[in-house]
mmCIF file of all heavy atoms in Angstrom:
data_model
loop_
_atom_site.group_PDB
_atom_site.id
_atom_site.type_symbol
_atom_site.label_atom_id
_atom_site.label_comp_id
_atom_site.label_asym_id
_atom_site.label_seq_id
_atom_site.Cartn_x
_atom_site.Cartn_y
_atom_site.Cartn_z
ATOM 1 N N SER B 81 20.997 4.920 -0.440
ATOM 2 C CA SER B 81 22.428 5.221 -0.410
ATOM 3 C C SER B 81 23.222 4.149 0.318
ATOM 4 O O SER B 81 22.700 3.486 1.231
ATOM 5 C CB SER B 81 22.653 6.559 0.295
ATOM 6 O OG SER B 81 21.931 7.597 -0.327
ATOM 7 N N ASN B 82 24.475 4.007 -0.111
ATOM 8 C CA ASN B 82 25.402 3.095 0.565
ATOM 9 C C ASN B 82 24.710 1.774 0.884
ATOM 10 O O ASN B 82 24.589 1.368 2.038
ATOM 11 C CB ASN B 82 25.940 3.745 1.842
ATOM 12 C CG ASN B 82 27.045 2.932 2.488
ATOM 13 O OD1 ASN B 82 27.733 2.146 1.831
ATOM 14 N ND2 ASN B 82 27.208 3.100 3.793
ATOM 15 N N MET B 83 24.255 1.118 -0.146
ATOM 16 C CA MET B 83 23.379 -0.041 0.021
ATOM 17 C C MET B 83 24.065 -1.248 0.636
ATOM 18 O O MET B 83 25.259 -1.492 0.427
ATOM 19 C CB MET B 83 22.773 -0.421 -1.337
ATOM 20 C CG MET B 83 21.742 0.580 -1.834
ATOM 21 S SD MET B 83 20.974 0.074 -3.366
ATOM 22 C CE MET B 83 22.280 0.391 -4.533
ATOM 23 N N SER B 84 23.262 -2.010 1.372
ATOM 24 C CA SER B 84 23.681 -3.296 1.929
ATOM 25 C C SER B 84 22.620 -4.323 1.553
ATOM 26 O O SER B 84 21.509 -3.947 1.138
ATOM 27 C CB SER B 84 23.819 -3.198 3.445
ATOM 28 O OG SER B 84 22.548 -2.986 4.034
ATOM 29 N N PRO B 85 22.900 -5.615 1.702
ATOM 30 C CA PRO B 85 21.886 -6.633 1.362
ATOM 31 C C PRO B 85 20.559 -6.436 2.093
ATOM 32 O O PRO B 85 19.502 -6.808 1.564
ATOM 33 C CB PRO B 85 22.568 -7.934 1.761
ATOM 34 C CG PRO B 85 24.022 -7.665 1.557
ATOM 35 C CD PRO B 85 24.214 -6.230 1.983
ATOM 36 N N GLU B 86 20.599 -5.819 3.264
ATOM 37 C CA GLU B 86 19.360 -5.580 4.019
ATOM 38 C C GLU B 86 18.434 -4.584 3.337
ATOM 39 O O GLU B 86 17.257 -4.467 3.693
ATOM 40 C CB GLU B 86 19.686 -5.082 5.427
ATOM 41 C CG GLU B 86 20.342 -6.112 6.349
ATOM 42 C CD GLU B 86 21.766 -6.438 5.947
ATOM 43 O OE1 GLU B 86 22.481 -5.506 5.474
ATOM 44 O OE2 GLU B 86 22.179 -7.604 6.076
ATOM 45 N N ASP B 87 18.953 -3.856 2.372
ATOM 46 C CA ASP B 87 18.128 -2.911 1.612
ATOM 47 C C ASP B 87 17.379 -3.587 0.475
ATOM 48 O O ASP B 87 16.565 -2.936 -0.204
ATOM 49 C CB ASP B 87 18.997 -1.782 1.055
ATOM 50 C CG ASP B 87 19.597 -0.906 2.145
ATOM 51 O OD1 ASP B 87 18.863 -0.602 3.116
ATOM 52 O OD2 ASP B 87 20.776 -0.526 2.023
ATOM 53 N N SER B 88 17.620 -4.848 0.262
ATOM 54 C CA SER B 88 16.884 -5.574 -0.785
ATOM 55 C C SER B 88 15.405 -5.588 -0.436
ATOM 56 O O SER B 88 14.992 -6.143 0.593
ATOM 57 C CB SER B 88 17.410 -7.008 -0.897
ATOM 58 O OG SER B 88 18.755 -7.023 -1.312
ATOM 59 N N SER B 89 14.615 -4.965 -1.287
ATOM 60 C CA SER B 89 13.182 -4.773 -1.014
ATOM 61 C C SER B 89 12.496 -4.344 -2.289
ATOM 62 O O SER B 89 13.141 -4.072 -3.304
ATOM 63 C CB SER B 89 12.966 -3.663 0.031
ATOM 64 O OG SER B 89 13.501 -3.978 1.281
ATOM 65 N N ILE B 90 11.179 -4.235 -2.197
ATOM 66 C CA ILE B 90 10.406 -3.531 -3.213
ATOM 67 C C ILE B 90 10.144 -2.129 -2.680
ATOM 68 O O ILE B 90 9.722 -1.969 -1.528
ATOM 69 C CB ILE B 90 9.075 -4.240 -3.511
ATOM 70 C CG1 ILE B 90 9.342 -5.633 -4.080
ATOM 71 C CG2 ILE B 90 8.235 -3.419 -4.478
ATOM 72 C CD1 ILE B 90 8.092 -6.487 -4.195
ATOM 73 N N TYR B 91 10.412 -1.141 -3.506
ATOM 74 C CA TYR B 91 10.167 0.244 -3.134
ATOM 75 C C TYR B 91 9.007 0.766 -3.990
ATOM 76 O O TYR B 91 9.025 0.654 -5.214
ATOM 77 C CB TYR B 91 11.417 1.100 -3.329
ATOM 78 C CG TYR B 91 12.507 0.715 -2.356
ATOM 79 C CD1 TYR B 91 13.405 -0.311 -2.647
ATOM 80 C CD2 TYR B 91 12.623 1.358 -1.125
ATOM 81 C CE1 TYR B 91 14.378 -0.690 -1.747
ATOM 82 C CE2 TYR B 91 13.603 0.987 -0.212
ATOM 83 C CZ TYR B 91 14.477 -0.044 -0.524
ATOM 84 O OH TYR B 91 15.439 -0.422 0.379
ATOM 85 N N LEU B 92 8.004 1.308 -3.313
ATOM 86 C CA LEU B 92 6.808 1.770 -4.013
ATOM 87 C C LEU B 92 6.535 3.235 -3.708
ATOM 88 O O LEU B 92 6.689 3.667 -2.562
ATOM 89 C CB LEU B 92 5.571 0.962 -3.604
ATOM 90 C CG LEU B 92 5.612 -0.550 -3.833
ATOM 91 C CD1 LEU B 92 5.826 -1.284 -2.532
ATOM 92 C CD2 LEU B 92 4.321 -1.020 -4.477
ATOM 93 N N CYS B 93 6.125 3.960 -4.724
ATOM 94 C CA CYS B 93 5.619 5.303 -4.482
ATOM 95 C C CYS B 93 4.096 5.267 -4.556
ATOM 96 O O CYS B 93 3.508 4.394 -5.212
ATOM 97 C CB CYS B 93 6.202 6.319 -5.459
ATOM 98 S SG CYS B 93 5.632 6.175 -7.149
ATOM 99 N N SER B 94 3.484 6.184 -3.847
ATOM 100 C CA SER B 94 2.028 6.307 -3.901
ATOM 101 C C SER B 94 1.666 7.785 -3.912
ATOM 102 O O SER B 94 2.488 8.632 -3.538
ATOM 103 C CB SER B 94 1.362 5.603 -2.720
ATOM 104 O OG SER B 94 1.573 6.320 -1.523
ATOM 105 N N VAL B 95 0.437 8.071 -4.332
ATOM 106 C CA VAL B 95 0.014 9.468 -4.441
ATOM 107 C C VAL B 95 -1.399 9.642 -3.928
ATOM 108 O O VAL B 95 -2.204 8.690 -3.907
ATOM 109 C CB VAL B 95 0.085 9.964 -5.907
ATOM 110 C CG1 VAL B 95 1.489 9.768 -6.478
ATOM 111 C CG2 VAL B 95 -0.950 9.295 -6.783
ATOM 112 N N LEU B 96 -1.672 10.854 -3.522
ATOM 113 C CA LEU B 96 -3.033 11.324 -3.284
ATOM 114 C C LEU B 96 -3.329 12.364 -4.349
ATOM 115 O O LEU B 96 -2.506 13.250 -4.582
ATOM 116 C CB LEU B 96 -3.172 11.967 -1.906
ATOM 117 C CG LEU B 96 -3.208 11.064 -0.686
ATOM 118 C CD1 LEU B 96 -3.268 11.914 0.573
ATOM 119 C CD2 LEU B 96 -4.398 10.132 -0.730
ATOM 120 N N THR B 97 -4.485 12.269 -4.956
ATOM 121 C CA THR B 97 -4.871 13.246 -5.973
ATOM 122 C C THR B 97 -5.852 14.251 -5.378
ATOM 123 O O THR B 97 -6.455 14.003 -4.336
ATOM 124 C CB THR B 97 -5.509 12.557 -7.177
ATOM 125 O OG1 THR B 97 -6.764 12.004 -6.781
ATOM 126 C CG2 THR B 97 -4.616 11.437 -7.708
ATOM 127 N N SER B 98 -5.997 15.366 -6.074
ATOM 128 C CA SER B 98 -6.939 16.382 -5.587
ATOM 129 C C SER B 98 -8.367 15.869 -5.634
ATOM 130 O O SER B 98 -9.214 16.283 -4.851
ATOM 131 C CB SER B 98 -6.808 17.662 -6.419
ATOM 132 O OG SER B 98 -7.060 17.387 -7.784
ATOM 133 N N GLY B 99 -8.630 14.916 -6.531
ATOM 134 C CA GLY B 99 -9.972 14.351 -6.622
ATOM 135 C C GLY B 99 -10.223 13.210 -5.665
ATOM 136 O O GLY B 99 -11.336 12.724 -5.517
#
Side-chain angles (χ1 to χ4, degrees):
Chain B
S81 303
N82 188 24
M83 289 184 285
S84 67
E86 291 70 36
D87 294 319
S88 296
S89 296
I90 297 171
Y91 293 87
L92 301 105
C93 70
S94 72
V95 304
L96 285 177
T97 68
S98 59

